[in-house]
Amino acid sequence: MAPHMAEWDQKEIFPVETMRKAAQLGFGGIYVQPDVGGSGLSRLDTSIIFEALSTGCVSTTAYISIHNMCAWMIDSYGNKEQREKFCPDLCSMEKFASYCLTEPGSGSDAASLLTSAQRKGDHYILNGSKAFISGGGDTDVYVVMCRTGGKGPKGISFGKKEKKVGWNSQPTRAVIFEDCAVPVANRLGEEGQGFNIAMKGLNGGRINIASCSLGAAHASVQLARDHLLVRKQFGETLSNNQFLQFKLAEMATKLVASRLLIREAAQALQEDRPDAVAICSMAKLFATDECFNICNQALQMHGGYGYLKDYAVQQFVRDIRVHQILEGEGFFLSLVI
């Protein structure tokens, strides 16, 4: 991914074939069960994989992490028919998935969503809009959270492709439902369970996104180190400047601290510990903030060069800024904790 990261960003390319190569390595359903094509790996394995992949392209890896969350939800909460119908194609990335929770009027307050599903015979009729949907319009399977009780050409349509600061290798659109008929057979779990299923998906999603921030921070520390070794000012390389040496040491320390907290959270989730929700929230809050600061400091160490698109560090800064917002915004996570 690394050689193509800048091009995918600038041309807003959704790298389908590259992701299918990743799926051949087992990265399309990392923590999905093997009987439907998954790799059956742990949450800790998953975190390590997403950290590594993000050193090559944060935006693409972040999409892969969302795709994995959707596949896991179907694997974990779907019945035998649903698992066999959807999971193999998702694990091979023959088909791509989108997670549809956020709405124009409900972000952190997910329980206030308005998209409705009214049952008519063997179908639900969906009405409403979802906002900021990663992959929206370019993906095949939509895991949609909607309200079966209360408020609530026809079918599914998409808003314009959003122009974003980062995450440009994945399209983002509104997903709009107008009398969209969906078979009852496609419902995950029972009516009324959806909110809990969505939240359980996000616990893993928070670790995954935080792991993507780790990869960006790791790559940025290395880029900063390499730049300091060659950039000369005042007759010597910047690597001889003690202030910058100390700064780099501080960045490396915060990177490792973030990594350890994320891996602890992954282990807690894997073991279904009672403190897992809090620790996953802590890991995302701490690591996405610290890793952004690391990337930003790495850009600063590049001086004016860091602000040029020829240098990768600026893309890491742009791509991980949104990690402090989605799948649990910072202030909201403090509330959860």
Side-chain angles (χ1 to χ4, degrees), residues 46-47 49-55 57-66 167 205-218 262 288 291 295 316 319-320 323:
T46 305
S47 172
I49 290 166
F50 287 145
E51 176 182 353
L53 292 180
S54 284
T55 64
C57 182
V58 172
S59 171
T60 305
T61 306
Y63 171 74
I64 294 172
S65 82
I66 294 165
W167 271 31
R206 285 168 182 162
I207 297 171
N208 295 345
I209 286 295
S211 301
C212 293
S213 288
L214 274 184
H218 189 164
I262 290 168
T288 56
C291 290
C295 293
F316 285 120
D319 278 344
I320 71 163
H323 297 187

PDB file of all heavy atoms in Angstrom, residues 46-47 49-55 57-66 167 205-218 262 288 291 295 316 319-320 323:
ATOM      1  N   THR A  46      -5.751  -8.980  15.725  1.00  0.00           N
ATOM      2  CA  THR A  46      -6.381  -7.985  14.848  1.00  0.00           C
ATOM      3  C   THR A  46      -5.744  -6.614  15.037  1.00  0.00           C
ATOM      4  O   THR A  46      -5.435  -5.914  14.062  1.00  0.00           O
ATOM      5  CB  THR A  46      -7.894  -7.905  15.146  1.00  0.00           C
ATOM      6  OG1 THR A  46      -8.466  -9.213  15.023  1.00  0.00           O
ATOM      7  CG2 THR A  46      -8.601  -6.961  14.189  1.00  0.00           C
ATOM      8  N   SER A  47      -5.520  -6.230  16.289  1.00  0.00           N
ATOM      9  CA  SER A  47      -4.909  -4.940  16.592  1.00  0.00           C
ATOM     10  C   SER A  47      -3.515  -4.840  15.976  1.00  0.00           C
ATOM     11  O   SER A  47      -3.152  -3.820  15.375  1.00  0.00           O
ATOM     12  CB  SER A  47      -4.838  -4.737  18.109  1.00  0.00           C
ATOM     13  OG  SER A  47      -4.099  -3.579  18.427  1.00  0.00           O
ATOM     14  N   ILE A  49      -2.339  -6.514  13.417  1.00  0.00           N
ATOM     15  CA  ILE A  49      -2.471  -6.463  11.951  1.00  0.00           C
ATOM     16  C   ILE A  49      -2.821  -5.051  11.485  1.00  0.00           C
ATOM     17  O   ILE A  49      -2.197  -4.513  10.559  1.00  0.00           O
ATOM     18  CB  ILE A  49      -3.529  -7.480  11.464  1.00  0.00           C
ATOM     19  CG1 ILE A  49      -3.007  -8.913  11.632  1.00  0.00           C
ATOM     20  CG2 ILE A  49      -3.927  -7.216  10.009  1.00  0.00           C
ATOM     21  CD1 ILE A  49      -4.067  -9.993  11.507  1.00  0.00           C
ATOM     22  N   PHE A  50      -3.810  -4.424  12.132  1.00  0.00           N
ATOM     23  CA  PHE A  50      -4.227  -3.088  11.690  1.00  0.00           C
ATOM     24  C   PHE A  50      -3.149  -2.034  11.958  1.00  0.00           C
ATOM     25  O   PHE A  50      -2.998  -1.093  11.184  1.00  0.00           O
ATOM     26  CB  PHE A  50      -5.557  -2.686  12.337  1.00  0.00           C
ATOM     27  CG  PHE A  50      -6.744  -3.428  11.769  1.00  0.00           C
ATOM     28  CD1 PHE A  50      -7.812  -3.785  12.580  1.00  0.00           C
ATOM     29  CD2 PHE A  50      -6.798  -3.767  10.430  1.00  0.00           C
ATOM     30  CE1 PHE A  50      -8.914  -4.467  12.052  1.00  0.00           C
ATOM     31  CE2 PHE A  50      -7.880  -4.455   9.898  1.00  0.00           C
ATOM     32  CZ  PHE A  50      -8.944  -4.807  10.714  1.00  0.00           C
ATOM     33  N   GLU A  51      -2.402  -2.206  13.035  1.00  0.00           N
ATOM     34  CA  GLU A  51      -1.287  -1.282  13.264  1.00  0.00           C
ATOM     35  C   GLU A  51      -0.270  -1.396  12.127  1.00  0.00           C
ATOM     36  O   GLU A  51       0.184  -0.396  11.568  1.00  0.00           O
ATOM     37  CB  GLU A  51      -0.589  -1.574  14.604  1.00  0.00           C
ATOM     38  CG  GLU A  51       0.625  -0.677  14.806  1.00  0.00           C
ATOM     39  CD  GLU A  51       1.399  -0.924  16.087  1.00  0.00           C
ATOM     40  OE1 GLU A  51       0.955  -1.713  16.941  1.00  0.00           O
ATOM     41  OE2 GLU A  51       2.477  -0.311  16.234  1.00  0.00           O
ATOM     42  N   ALA A  52       0.063  -2.634  11.777  1.00  0.00           N
ATOM     43  CA  ALA A  52       1.055  -2.842  10.716  1.00  0.00           C
ATOM     44  C   ALA A  52       0.569  -2.318   9.367  1.00  0.00           C
ATOM     45  O   ALA A  52       1.284  -1.605   8.661  1.00  0.00           O
ATOM     46  CB  ALA A  52       1.402  -4.327  10.624  1.00  0.00           C
ATOM     47  N   LEU A  53      -0.670  -2.659   9.003  1.00  0.00           N
ATOM     48  CA  LEU A  53      -1.202  -2.221   7.714  1.00  0.00           C
ATOM     49  C   LEU A  53      -1.268  -0.702   7.620  1.00  0.00           C
ATOM     50  O   LEU A  53      -1.057  -0.123   6.547  1.00  0.00           O
ATOM     51  CB  LEU A  53      -2.593  -2.817   7.467  1.00  0.00           C
ATOM     52  CG  LEU A  53      -2.679  -4.337   7.237  1.00  0.00           C
ATOM     53  CD1 LEU A  53      -4.127  -4.754   7.016  1.00  0.00           C
ATOM     54  CD2 LEU A  53      -1.820  -4.772   6.061  1.00  0.00           C
ATOM     55  N   SER A  54      -1.546  -0.040   8.741  1.00  0.00           N
ATOM     56  CA  SER A  54      -1.696   1.425   8.724  1.00  0.00           C
ATOM     57  C   SER A  54      -0.398   2.158   8.456  1.00  0.00           C
ATOM     58  O   SER A  54      -0.414   3.322   8.056  1.00  0.00           O
ATOM     59  CB  SER A  54      -2.299   1.925  10.038  1.00  0.00           C
ATOM     60  OG  SER A  54      -3.676   1.645  10.060  1.00  0.00           O
ATOM     61  N   THR A  55       0.733   1.492   8.667  1.00  0.00           N
ATOM     62  CA  THR A  55       1.991   2.154   8.307  1.00  0.00           C
ATOM     63  C   THR A  55       2.073   2.331   6.791  1.00  0.00           C
ATOM     64  O   THR A  55       2.817   3.171   6.299  1.00  0.00           O
ATOM     65  CB  THR A  55       3.220   1.358   8.799  1.00  0.00           C
ATOM     66  OG1 THR A  55       3.256   0.088   8.143  1.00  0.00           O
ATOM     67  CG2 THR A  55       3.183   1.150  10.310  1.00  0.00           C
ATOM     68  N   CYS A  57      -1.006   2.541   4.667  1.00  0.00           N
ATOM     69  CA  CYS A  57      -2.076   3.487   4.300  1.00  0.00           C
ATOM     70  C   CYS A  57      -3.161   3.443   5.367  1.00  0.00           C
ATOM     71  O   CYS A  57      -3.878   2.443   5.485  1.00  0.00           O
ATOM     72  CB  CYS A  57      -2.680   3.168   2.934  1.00  0.00           C
ATOM     73  SG  CYS A  57      -3.973   4.361   2.447  1.00  0.00           S
ATOM     74  N   VAL A  58      -3.265   4.515   6.126  1.00  0.00           N
ATOM     75  CA  VAL A  58      -4.247   4.587   7.216  1.00  0.00           C
ATOM     76  C   VAL A  58      -5.671   4.498   6.685  1.00  0.00           C
ATOM     77  O   VAL A  58      -6.502   3.749   7.194  1.00  0.00           O
ATOM     78  CB  VAL A  58      -4.083   5.907   8.008  1.00  0.00           C
ATOM     79  CG1 VAL A  58      -5.229   6.075   9.008  1.00  0.00           C
ATOM     80  CG2 VAL A  58      -2.751   5.935   8.739  1.00  0.00           C
ATOM     81  N   SER A  59      -5.960   5.275   5.669  1.00  0.00           N
ATOM     82  CA  SER A  59      -7.319   5.383   5.153  1.00  0.00           C
ATOM     83  C   SER A  59      -7.852   4.030   4.683  1.00  0.00           C
ATOM     84  O   SER A  59      -8.969   3.624   5.029  1.00  0.00           O
ATOM     85  CB  SER A  59      -7.336   6.399   3.999  1.00  0.00           C
ATOM     86  OG  SER A  59      -8.568   6.402   3.331  1.00  0.00           O
ATOM     87  N   THR A  60      -7.042   3.322   3.910  1.00  0.00           N
ATOM     88  CA  THR A  60      -7.464   2.017   3.392  1.00  0.00           C
ATOM     89  C   THR A  60      -7.611   1.010   4.523  1.00  0.00           C
ATOM     90  O   THR A  60      -8.575   0.235   4.570  1.00  0.00           O
ATOM     91  CB  THR A  60      -6.447   1.507   2.353  1.00  0.00           C
ATOM     92  OG1 THR A  60      -6.285   2.517   1.341  1.00  0.00           O
ATOM     93  CG2 THR A  60      -6.909   0.220   1.703  1.00  0.00           C
ATOM     94  N   THR A  61      -6.666   1.028   5.457  1.00  0.00           N
ATOM     95  CA  THR A  61      -6.736   0.107   6.600  1.00  0.00           C
ATOM     96  C   THR A  61      -7.966   0.395   7.456  1.00  0.00           C
ATOM     97  O   THR A  61      -8.635  -0.531   7.931  1.00  0.00           O
ATOM     98  CB  THR A  61      -5.467   0.218   7.462  1.00  0.00           C
ATOM     99  OG1 THR A  61      -4.320   0.017   6.632  1.00  0.00           O
ATOM    100  CG2 THR A  61      -5.471  -0.815   8.574  1.00  0.00           C
ATOM    101  N   ALA A  62      -8.273   1.674   7.655  1.00  0.00           N
ATOM    102  CA  ALA A  62      -9.444   2.038   8.456  1.00  0.00           C
ATOM    103  C   ALA A  62     -10.713   1.487   7.804  1.00  0.00           C
ATOM    104  O   ALA A  62     -11.599   0.979   8.494  1.00  0.00           O
ATOM    105  CB  ALA A  62      -9.529   3.551   8.607  1.00  0.00           C
ATOM    106  N   TYR A  63     -10.791   1.566   6.466  1.00  0.00           N
ATOM    107  CA  TYR A  63     -11.957   0.974   5.801  1.00  0.00           C
ATOM    108  C   TYR A  63     -11.982  -0.540   6.025  1.00  0.00           C
ATOM    109  O   TYR A  63     -13.036  -1.115   6.337  1.00  0.00           O
ATOM    110  CB  TYR A  63     -12.016   1.270   4.285  1.00  0.00           C
ATOM    111  CG  TYR A  63     -13.121   0.436   3.686  1.00  0.00           C
ATOM    112  CD1 TYR A  63     -14.457   0.782   3.906  1.00  0.00           C
ATOM    113  CD2 TYR A  63     -12.856  -0.791   3.084  1.00  0.00           C
ATOM    114  CE1 TYR A  63     -15.482  -0.048   3.513  1.00  0.00           C
ATOM    115  CE2 TYR A  63     -13.877  -1.635   2.681  1.00  0.00           C
ATOM    116  CZ  TYR A  63     -15.187  -1.256   2.894  1.00  0.00           C
ATOM    117  OH  TYR A  63     -16.202  -2.098   2.528  1.00  0.00           O
ATOM    118  N   ILE A  64     -10.837  -1.205   5.884  1.00  0.00           N
ATOM    119  CA  ILE A  64     -10.773  -2.656   6.094  1.00  0.00           C
ATOM    120  C   ILE A  64     -11.250  -2.998   7.506  1.00  0.00           C
ATOM    121  O   ILE A  64     -11.930  -4.008   7.722  1.00  0.00           O
ATOM    122  CB  ILE A  64      -9.342  -3.191   5.839  1.00  0.00           C
ATOM    123  CG1 ILE A  64      -8.973  -3.039   4.355  1.00  0.00           C
ATOM    124  CG2 ILE A  64      -9.219  -4.655   6.259  1.00  0.00           C
ATOM    125  CD1 ILE A  64      -7.516  -3.367   4.040  1.00  0.00           C
ATOM    126  N   SER A  65     -10.932  -2.134   8.466  1.00  0.00           N
ATOM    127  CA  SER A  65     -11.355  -2.394   9.856  1.00  0.00           C
ATOM    128  C   SER A  65     -12.873  -2.300   9.995  1.00  0.00           C
ATOM    129  O   SER A  65     -13.488  -3.082  10.729  1.00  0.00           O
ATOM    130  CB  SER A  65     -10.656  -1.423  10.822  1.00  0.00           C
ATOM    131  OG  SER A  65     -11.290  -0.163  10.880  1.00  0.00           O
ATOM    132  N   ILE A  66     -13.488  -1.360   9.291  1.00  0.00           N
ATOM    133  CA  ILE A  66     -14.960  -1.225   9.324  1.00  0.00           C
ATOM    134  C   ILE A  66     -15.610  -2.432   8.647  1.00  0.00           C
ATOM    135  O   ILE A  66     -16.592  -2.993   9.143  1.00  0.00           O
ATOM    136  CB  ILE A  66     -15.380   0.095   8.641  1.00  0.00           C
ATOM    137  CG1 ILE A  66     -14.878   1.294   9.462  1.00  0.00           C
ATOM    138  CG2 ILE A  66     -16.898   0.163   8.453  1.00  0.00           C
ATOM    139  CD1 ILE A  66     -14.926   2.618   8.720  1.00  0.00           C
ATOM    140  N   TRP A 167      -8.692  10.348   4.799  1.00  0.00           N
ATOM    141  CA  TRP A 167      -9.465   9.132   4.495  1.00  0.00           C
ATOM    142  C   TRP A 167      -9.993   9.180   3.053  1.00  0.00           C
ATOM    143  O   TRP A 167     -11.124   8.798   2.768  1.00  0.00           O
ATOM    144  CB  TRP A 167     -10.646   8.995   5.470  1.00  0.00           C
ATOM    145  CG  TRP A 167     -10.355   8.244   6.728  1.00  0.00           C
ATOM    146  CD1 TRP A 167      -9.170   8.173   7.395  1.00  0.00           C
ATOM    147  CD2 TRP A 167     -11.282   7.449   7.500  1.00  0.00           C
ATOM    148  NE1 TRP A 167      -9.303   7.400   8.525  1.00  0.00           N
ATOM    149  CE2 TRP A 167     -10.578   6.941   8.620  1.00  0.00           C
ATOM    150  CE3 TRP A 167     -12.623   7.138   7.356  1.00  0.00           C
ATOM    151  CZ2 TRP A 167     -11.181   6.127   9.578  1.00  0.00           C
ATOM    152  CZ3 TRP A 167     -13.225   6.334   8.313  1.00  0.00           C
ATOM    153  CH2 TRP A 167     -12.507   5.825   9.412  1.00  0.00           C
ATOM    154  N   GLY A 205     -14.549  -2.028  17.147  1.00  0.00           N
ATOM    155  CA  GLY A 205     -14.225  -0.967  16.193  1.00  0.00           C
ATOM    156  C   GLY A 205     -13.310   0.088  16.801  1.00  0.00           C
ATOM    157  O   GLY A 205     -12.407   0.610  16.143  1.00  0.00           O
ATOM    158  N   ARG A 206     -13.528   0.384  18.085  1.00  0.00           N
ATOM    159  CA  ARG A 206     -12.709   1.402  18.757  1.00  0.00           C
ATOM    160  C   ARG A 206     -11.258   0.945  18.877  1.00  0.00           C
ATOM    161  O   ARG A 206     -10.334   1.725  18.679  1.00  0.00           O
ATOM    162  CB  ARG A 206     -13.318   1.726  20.128  1.00  0.00           C
ATOM    163  CG  ARG A 206     -14.555   2.585  19.984  1.00  0.00           C
ATOM    164  CD  ARG A 206     -15.385   2.727  21.255  1.00  0.00           C
ATOM    165  NE  ARG A 206     -16.569   3.542  20.941  1.00  0.00           N
ATOM    166  CZ  ARG A 206     -17.663   3.592  21.669  1.00  0.00           C
ATOM    167  NH1 ARG A 206     -17.760   2.875  22.773  1.00  0.00           N
ATOM    168  NH2 ARG A 206     -18.684   4.358  21.298  1.00  0.00           N
ATOM    169  N   ILE A 207     -11.067  -0.328  19.204  1.00  0.00           N
ATOM    170  CA  ILE A 207      -9.705  -0.865  19.264  1.00  0.00           C
ATOM    171  C   ILE A 207      -9.078  -0.838  17.866  1.00  0.00           C
ATOM    172  O   ILE A 207      -7.908  -0.485  17.700  1.00  0.00           O
ATOM    173  CB  ILE A 207      -9.714  -2.313  19.797  1.00  0.00           C
ATOM    174  CG1 ILE A 207     -10.247  -2.356  21.218  1.00  0.00           C
ATOM    175  CG2 ILE A 207      -8.305  -2.910  19.741  1.00  0.00           C
ATOM    176  CD1 ILE A 207     -10.478  -3.767  21.729  1.00  0.00           C
ATOM    177  N   ASN A 208      -9.857  -1.212  16.864  1.00  0.00           N
ATOM    178  CA  ASN A 208      -9.335  -1.270  15.493  1.00  0.00           C
ATOM    179  C   ASN A 208      -8.892   0.102  14.999  1.00  0.00           C
ATOM    180  O   ASN A 208      -7.818   0.254  14.412  1.00  0.00           O
ATOM    181  CB  ASN A 208     -10.390  -1.851  14.548  1.00  0.00           C
ATOM    182  CG  ASN A 208     -10.731  -3.298  14.867  1.00  0.00           C
ATOM    183  OD1 ASN A 208     -10.005  -3.969  15.596  1.00  0.00           O
ATOM    184  ND2 ASN A 208     -11.836  -3.780  14.327  1.00  0.00           N
ATOM    185  N   ILE A 209      -9.732   1.116  15.224  1.00  0.00           N
ATOM    186  CA  ILE A 209      -9.399   2.464  14.762  1.00  0.00           C
ATOM    187  C   ILE A 209      -8.197   3.008  15.534  1.00  0.00           C
ATOM    188  O   ILE A 209      -7.299   3.641  14.966  1.00  0.00           O
ATOM    189  CB  ILE A 209     -10.627   3.401  14.896  1.00  0.00           C
ATOM    190  CG1 ILE A 209     -11.659   3.071  13.807  1.00  0.00           C
ATOM    191  CG2 ILE A 209     -10.212   4.864  14.812  1.00  0.00           C
ATOM    192  CD1 ILE A 209     -11.188   3.348  12.375  1.00  0.00           C
ATOM    193  N   ALA A 210      -8.152   2.736  16.848  1.00  0.00           N
ATOM    194  CA  ALA A 210      -7.002   3.158  17.644  1.00  0.00           C
ATOM    195  C   ALA A 210      -5.728   2.488  17.130  1.00  0.00           C
ATOM    196  O   ALA A 210      -4.654   3.099  17.100  1.00  0.00           O
ATOM    197  CB  ALA A 210      -7.230   2.828  19.114  1.00  0.00           C
ATOM    198  N   SER A 211      -5.846   1.234  16.699  1.00  0.00           N
ATOM    199  CA  SER A 211      -4.690   0.516  16.148  1.00  0.00           C
ATOM    200  C   SER A 211      -4.215   1.154  14.844  1.00  0.00           C
ATOM    201  O   SER A 211      -3.009   1.186  14.565  1.00  0.00           O
ATOM    202  CB  SER A 211      -5.042  -0.961  15.912  1.00  0.00           C
ATOM    203  OG  SER A 211      -5.440  -1.578  17.122  1.00  0.00           O
ATOM    204  N   CYS A 212      -5.153   1.659  14.059  1.00  0.00           N
ATOM    205  CA  CYS A 212      -4.787   2.380  12.838  1.00  0.00           C
ATOM    206  C   CYS A 212      -4.005   3.654  13.178  1.00  0.00           C
ATOM    207  O   CYS A 212      -3.059   4.019  12.472  1.00  0.00           O
ATOM    208  CB  CYS A 212      -6.031   2.723  12.020  1.00  0.00           C
ATOM    209  SG  CYS A 212      -6.886   1.292  11.316  1.00  0.00           S
ATOM    210  N   SER A 213      -4.397   4.318  14.272  1.00  0.00           N
ATOM    211  CA  SER A 213      -3.645   5.494  14.722  1.00  0.00           C
ATOM    212  C   SER A 213      -2.233   5.101  15.139  1.00  0.00           C
ATOM    213  O   SER A 213      -1.272   5.837  14.888  1.00  0.00           O
ATOM    214  CB  SER A 213      -4.358   6.172  15.899  1.00  0.00           C
ATOM    215  OG  SER A 213      -5.534   6.836  15.472  1.00  0.00           O
ATOM    216  N   LEU A 214      -2.102   3.950  15.779  1.00  0.00           N
ATOM    217  CA  LEU A 214      -0.773   3.456  16.173  1.00  0.00           C
ATOM    218  C   LEU A 214       0.148   3.310  14.975  1.00  0.00           C
ATOM    219  O   LEU A 214       1.314   3.720  15.022  1.00  0.00           O
ATOM    220  CB  LEU A 214      -0.902   2.064  16.816  1.00  0.00           C
ATOM    221  CG  LEU A 214      -1.199   1.907  18.293  1.00  0.00           C
ATOM    222  CD1 LEU A 214      -1.162   0.417  18.630  1.00  0.00           C
ATOM    223  CD2 LEU A 214      -0.206   2.672  19.140  1.00  0.00           C
ATOM    224  N   GLY A 215      -0.363   2.698  13.918  1.00  0.00           N
ATOM    225  CA  GLY A 215       0.458   2.487  12.726  1.00  0.00           C
ATOM    226  C   GLY A 215       0.934   3.803  12.138  1.00  0.00           C
ATOM    227  O   GLY A 215       2.103   3.936  11.736  1.00  0.00           O
ATOM    228  N   ALA A 216       0.035   4.790  12.112  1.00  0.00           N
ATOM    229  CA  ALA A 216       0.400   6.112  11.583  1.00  0.00           C
ATOM    230  C   ALA A 216       1.470   6.761  12.451  1.00  0.00           C
ATOM    231  O   ALA A 216       2.434   7.355  11.944  1.00  0.00           O
ATOM    232  CB  ALA A 216      -0.839   6.998  11.523  1.00  0.00           C
ATOM    233  N   ALA A 217       1.308   6.645  13.773  1.00  0.00           N
ATOM    234  CA  ALA A 217       2.279   7.247  14.689  1.00  0.00           C
ATOM    235  C   ALA A 217       3.633   6.553  14.570  1.00  0.00           C
ATOM    236  O   ALA A 217       4.682   7.206  14.572  1.00  0.00           O
ATOM    237  CB  ALA A 217       1.757   7.164  16.125  1.00  0.00           C
ATOM    238  N   HIS A 218       3.608   5.239  14.463  1.00  0.00           N
ATOM    239  CA  HIS A 218       4.846   4.468  14.320  1.00  0.00           C
ATOM    240  C   HIS A 218       5.600   4.907  13.059  1.00  0.00           C
ATOM    241  O   HIS A 218       6.807   5.202  13.090  1.00  0.00           O
ATOM    242  CB  HIS A 218       4.506   2.978  14.262  1.00  0.00           C
ATOM    243  CG  HIS A 218       5.697   2.068  14.321  1.00  0.00           C
ATOM    244  ND1 HIS A 218       5.604   0.733  14.594  1.00  0.00           N
ATOM    245  CD2 HIS A 218       7.017   2.318  14.134  1.00  0.00           C
ATOM    246  CE1 HIS A 218       6.823   0.186  14.585  1.00  0.00           C
ATOM    247  NE2 HIS A 218       7.686   1.134  14.296  1.00  0.00           N
ATOM    248  N   ILE A 262      -3.846  -0.276  24.163  1.00  0.00           N
ATOM    249  CA  ILE A 262      -4.706  -0.870  23.131  1.00  0.00           C
ATOM    250  C   ILE A 262      -4.669  -2.396  23.219  1.00  0.00           C
ATOM    251  O   ILE A 262      -5.700  -3.074  23.128  1.00  0.00           O
ATOM    252  CB  ILE A 262      -4.277  -0.393  21.724  1.00  0.00           C
ATOM    253  CG1 ILE A 262      -4.629   1.088  21.548  1.00  0.00           C
ATOM    254  CG2 ILE A 262      -4.937  -1.230  20.634  1.00  0.00           C
ATOM    255  CD1 ILE A 262      -4.004   1.716  20.318  1.00  0.00           C
ATOM    256  N   THR A 288      -5.852   7.641  20.311  1.00  0.00           N
ATOM    257  CA  THR A 288      -6.109   8.496  19.142  1.00  0.00           C
ATOM    258  C   THR A 288      -5.621   9.924  19.396  1.00  0.00           C
ATOM    259  O   THR A 288      -5.119  10.579  18.482  1.00  0.00           O
ATOM    260  CB  THR A 288      -7.597   8.501  18.742  1.00  0.00           C
ATOM    261  OG1 THR A 288      -8.395   8.906  19.859  1.00  0.00           O
ATOM    262  CG2 THR A 288      -8.044   7.125  18.255  1.00  0.00           C
ATOM    263  N   CYS A 291      -1.534   9.600  19.516  1.00  0.00           N
ATOM    264  CA  CYS A 291      -0.968   9.289  18.202  1.00  0.00           C
ATOM    265  C   CYS A 291      -1.108  10.459  17.241  1.00  0.00           C
ATOM    266  O   CYS A 291      -0.204  10.717  16.423  1.00  0.00           O
ATOM    267  CB  CYS A 291      -1.601   8.023  17.624  1.00  0.00           C
ATOM    268  SG  CYS A 291      -1.114   6.522  18.501  1.00  0.00           S
ATOM    269  N   CYS A 295       2.082  12.329  15.403  1.00  0.00           N
ATOM    270  CA  CYS A 295       2.153  12.620  13.963  1.00  0.00           C
ATOM    271  C   CYS A 295       2.336  14.119  13.714  1.00  0.00           C
ATOM    272  O   CYS A 295       3.117  14.531  12.842  1.00  0.00           O
ATOM    273  CB  CYS A 295       0.901  12.114  13.245  1.00  0.00           C
ATOM    274  SG  CYS A 295       0.737  10.322  13.222  1.00  0.00           S
ATOM    275  N   PHE A 316      -0.398  11.275   7.038  1.00  0.00           N
ATOM    276  CA  PHE A 316      -0.708  10.589   8.301  1.00  0.00           C
ATOM    277  C   PHE A 316      -1.465  11.526   9.248  1.00  0.00           C
ATOM    278  O   PHE A 316      -2.422  11.125   9.902  1.00  0.00           O
ATOM    279  CB  PHE A 316       0.570  10.075   8.965  1.00  0.00           C
ATOM    280  CG  PHE A 316       1.157   8.851   8.292  1.00  0.00           C
ATOM    281  CD1 PHE A 316       2.442   8.876   7.752  1.00  0.00           C
ATOM    282  CD2 PHE A 316       0.422   7.675   8.189  1.00  0.00           C
ATOM    283  CE1 PHE A 316       2.980   7.753   7.130  1.00  0.00           C
ATOM    284  CE2 PHE A 316       0.949   6.548   7.573  1.00  0.00           C
ATOM    285  CZ  PHE A 316       2.240   6.594   7.037  1.00  0.00           C
ATOM    286  N   ASP A 319      -5.036  11.905   7.833  1.00  0.00           N
ATOM    287  CA  ASP A 319      -5.836  10.675   7.889  1.00  0.00           C
ATOM    288  C   ASP A 319      -6.273  10.313   9.302  1.00  0.00           C
ATOM    289  O   ASP A 319      -7.362   9.787   9.499  1.00  0.00           O
ATOM    290  CB  ASP A 319      -5.063   9.509   7.267  1.00  0.00           C
ATOM    291  CG  ASP A 319      -5.155   9.475   5.744  1.00  0.00           C
ATOM    292  OD1 ASP A 319      -6.037  10.155   5.187  1.00  0.00           O
ATOM    293  OD2 ASP A 319      -4.346   8.758   5.111  1.00  0.00           O
ATOM    294  N   ILE A 320      -5.425  10.560  10.322  1.00  0.00           N
ATOM    295  CA  ILE A 320      -5.820  10.084  11.652  1.00  0.00           C
ATOM    296  C   ILE A 320      -6.554  11.137  12.472  1.00  0.00           C
ATOM    297  O   ILE A 320      -7.034  10.829  13.558  1.00  0.00           O
ATOM    298  CB  ILE A 320      -4.645   9.500  12.463  1.00  0.00           C
ATOM    299  CG1 ILE A 320      -3.657  10.562  12.925  1.00  0.00           C
ATOM    300  CG2 ILE A 320      -3.948   8.398  11.708  1.00  0.00           C
ATOM    301  CD1 ILE A 320      -2.764  10.040  14.040  1.00  0.00           C
ATOM    302  N   HIS A 323      -9.923  10.022  13.523  1.00  0.00           N
ATOM    303  CA  HIS A 323     -10.018   8.931  14.492  1.00  0.00           C
ATOM    304  C   HIS A 323     -10.407   9.446  15.883  1.00  0.00           C
ATOM    305  O   HIS A 323     -10.868   8.677  16.715  1.00  0.00           O
ATOM    306  CB  HIS A 323      -8.682   8.182  14.600  1.00  0.00           C
ATOM    307  CG  HIS A 323      -8.267   7.504  13.330  1.00  0.00           C
ATOM    308  ND1 HIS A 323      -7.181   6.660  13.232  1.00  0.00           N
ATOM    309  CD2 HIS A 323      -8.790   7.548  12.074  1.00  0.00           C
ATOM    310  CE1 HIS A 323      -7.057   6.222  11.999  1.00  0.00           C
ATOM    311  NE2 HIS A 323      -8.027   6.756  11.269  1.00  0.00           N
TER     312      HIS A 323
END
